[in-house]
Amino acid sequence: MELPTLPSDPLLEIITRFDDVETVVRCAAVCKPLRRAILDPDLFPRRLASSAAANGGFDPDLLLSVTYWPLAVNSIHSGEHFPADAFEQTASSRVRFDADLLLSYQLLSSRDGLLVLGRNHEAPDDAQMSASDIELLVCNTITGHVTSVPRLNHRGASGAFRSGIHPPVLLSTGGGGGRRSFELLVMYKGDYFLSVSREIQIFSSQRSEWGAARWIHKPPRMELARAASTVPAVVGRTVHWLACKDNAEQVKFRGGDLLILALHAEEAQEATVIKLPQGLLTSLTTSTEWEHNLAHNLILAATAEGKRLSIVAAENLAISVWTLLPDHQEHQGSSISWSREVVIRRGQIGRQLALFPLDAYQPIRFSAFGERSGTVLFWMREVGLVQLNLGTKKVLVIWKGRNHNYLRSKAFLHEAHLVSLLQSMKPF
């Protein structure tokens, strides 16, 4: 005798209440009718909206795992590569990432469960690395699929020598399938003092080729900031980098030269300069350490709906989020306007972590931001690696360590793009 089955609507209502991605995917694999219903485009926008409504627009359940490696103060490693046993990962059976790749590749960027890894091929010590010496891989940490990106040309359309690239940007991560589609944008390096132009190029995984290079213009004597935390933020088709004038290596003590450089991937030939909020830099922790860089206290992000630029900042008394107001998204100079929201006070961080109040005020360096889950990772000196969710305001120490180099230790997130993950399953 066949057991009675529930109609799909109650089942779907139950599924929308599940709090983890794994369970949703397992339900989608149960049977064809249920899978078709789950893949209905009206279901998961509703599920995501329901979860996000209670968490500031983010869905904390979309954070699957964190991979990190603390660097000891007396470590002899250069920071480019680490031994395999140095990597640790929070548990998740949904993450398929081979950390051994980090023995020979360096993490360059990450977004939506995709990681961009790169390495320079061997060359004489005195030889300048060209763009064609760089090998790039894009790893899907959900499916385990690895895409080898075609080599770049070491000379541009004008015949000029390309000395290298800035860390690539995952411009888009949509599409389904084990070979999930993505677009990768690179900006070539140029002469810092003389050149006001840069070449950019976009790789499309669907076409398996690089598009035509084009020139963009930026203000003179301005370069992308080189602090480890300055990952770019993508809003729509516009990429935002933290940049600075005169000295990209050391933004120390003053920070007035810090700016945001915005570039539309296809439309604009001129990069837009966005000034940081008034009063932000003066509210940041000023350290007497010679290595301290004000850019460490900031990380660019996108709002939960992905339509506006925001900045997560480690201020003297709080972790805050500054959001560019909608009417000023494309404006520059003094006409722009920002709103500020305090996420959590420094004292509350100390109380949640059961630390002495003095420990909660240790210098911070941001490491990663997850635009799906609203999770930010930062290294706190004398504490270790800390995870903060902007929606729930919950703080968690992932790794405790007082004797580590918080300026060079690394961490990144594995997030699920749930809709893309479900679309990768055959709907029947």
Side-chain angles (χ1 to χ4, degrees):
M1 183 178 71
E2 292 186 3
L3 294 174
T5 57
L6 287 173
S8 61
D9 285 350
L11 283 175
L12 293 177
E13 186 61 32
I14 294 171
I15 291 170
T16 61
R17 298 174 185 271
F18 287 146
D19 60 358
D20 67 281
V21 174
E22 277 191 70
T23 303
V24 174
V25 174
R26 285 172 180 169
C27 288
V30 168
C31 64
K32 297 176 184 179
L34 187 57
R35 190 181 307 185
R36 281 197 297 266
I38 289 175
L39 288 172
D40 187 312
D42 291 333
L43 175 64
F44 276 94
R46 180 158 54 91
R47 186 262 185 200
L48 294 174
S50 174
S51 177
N55 296 294
F58 298 107
D59 188 346
D61 299 325
L62 297 183
L63 175 63
L64 302 183
S65 181
V66 175
T67 296
Y68 58 94
W69 56 104
L71 193 64
V73 171
N74 61 351
S75 172
I76 61 173
H77 298 300
S78 67
E80 291 296 321
H81 308 294
F82 297 81
D85 59 3
F87 298 95
E88 301 183 56
Q89 185 170 289
T90 57
S92 175
S93 60
R94 286 299 305 171
V95 172
R96 296 182 176 88
F97 173 63
D98 181 8
D100 286 344
L101 285 172
L102 296 169
L103 288 168
S104 53
Y105 289 88
Q106 181 182 5
L107 175 71
L108 300 179
S109 61
S110 64
R111 188 184 181 198
D112 274 352
L114 298 182
L115 304 180
V116 182
L117 306 179
R119 68 178 176 184
N120 287 333
H121 279 264
E122 294 183 4
D125 293 338
D126 58 349
Q128 185 179 22
M129 287 290 182
S130 71
S132 61
D133 292 317
I134 301 170
E135 181 183 357
L136 298 175
L137 298 179
V138 177
C139 306
N140 187 326
T141 63
I142 307 300
T143 66
H145 183 262
V146 177
T147 301
S148 181
V149 178
R151 295 289 182 86
L152 295 157
N153 195 329
H154 71 284
R155 292 194 180 275
S158 65
F161 180 77
R162 292 167 169 169
S163 61
I165 61 173
H166 292 285
V169 180
L170 283 160
L171 184 62
S172 68
T173 59
R179 299 173 181 267
R180 184 168 131 206
S181 66
F182 62 87
E183 292 175 292
L184 195 64
L185 181 147
V186 297
M187 179 186 292
Y188 293 97
K189 292 182 179 180
D191 187 280
Y192 170 61
F193 290 103
L194 300 178
S195 176
V196 295
S197 297
R198 291 287 187 274
E199 277 187 292
I200 66 168
Q201 204 166 359
I202 299 174
F203 171 78
S204 167
S205 65
Q206 290 183 323
R207 298 192 304 270
S208 297
E209 64 181 13
W210 289 96
R214 68 183 182 89
W215 289 93
I216 59 100
H217 307 287
K218 65 176 185 62
R221 303 183 68 86
M222 177 178 289
E223 193 53 272
L224 307 187
R226 296 171 191 168
S229 61
T230 52
V231 292
V234 180
V235 179
R237 301 290 289 177
T238 301
V239 184
H240 302 81
W241 289 273
L242 198 62
C244 55
K245 295 179 180 177
D246 296 330
N247 194 336
E249 298 280 2
Q250 300 175 357
V251 187
K252 302 170 190 272
F253 306 119
R254 46 182 223 266
D257 294 331
L258 272 177
L259 298 161
I260 296 170
L261 201 64
L263 174 69
H264 193 281
E266 287 91 10
E267 295 176 3
Q269 300 295 322
E270 193 82 28
T272 301
V273 174
I274 302 174
K275 289 186 177 180
L276 295 183
Q278 290 187 353
L280 169 59
L281 293 173
T282 58
S283 71
L284 301 181
T285 301
T286 54
S287 173
T288 56
E289 297 177 1
W290 72 271
E291 286 186 291
H292 186 71
N293 184 327
L294 286 181
H296 290 312
N297 296 63
L298 306 172
I299 190 165
L300 299 182
T303 54
E305 74 279 8
K307 296 181 180 179
R308 288 187 285 162
L309 176 69
S310 61
I311 305 169
V312 184
E315 301 184 21
N316 289 321
L317 301 177
I319 304 294
S320 64
V321 174
W322 299 71
T323 302
L324 190 62
L325 297 182
D327 293 341
H328 305 280
Q329 186 73 41
E330 302 298 332
H331 294 181
Q332 51 184 307
S334 59
S335 64
I336 66 171
S337 182
W338 299 79
S339 65
R340 175 180 178 269
E341 176 190 1
V342 173
V343 176
I344 189 169
R345 301 282 180 185
R346 291 268 193 150
Q348 292 174 314
I349 295 177
R351 285 192 291 273
Q352 281 199 44
L353 302 182
L355 300 171
F356 291 107
L358 189 62
D359 288 334
Y361 291 84
Q362 294 294 341
I364 281 175
R365 179 184 65 79
F366 285 111
S367 188
F369 173 77
E371 61 185 283
R372 302 291 171 185
S373 66
T375 302
V376 63
L377 299 177
F378 57 85
W379 295 90
M380 183 181 290
R381 195 183 66 180
E382 302 296 323
V383 177
L385 177 61
V386 181
Q387 173 182 310
L388 167 65
N389 187 274
L390 301 182
T392 65
K393 323 296 185 189
K394 291 182 180 179
V395 185
L396 173 69
V397 175
I398 294 179
W399 178 85
K400 294 181 180 180
R402 302 176 68 91
N403 187 29
H404 75 287
N405 188 337
Y406 82 105
L407 287 173
R408 290 174 59 209
S409 299
K410 298 179 182 292
F412 56 93
L413 303 166
H414 301 277
E415 285 190 317
H417 190 316
L418 185 56
V419 175
S420 292
L421 183 60
L422 290 170
Q423 287 174 344
S424 70
M425 305 174 71
K426 294 181 180 179
F428 295 97

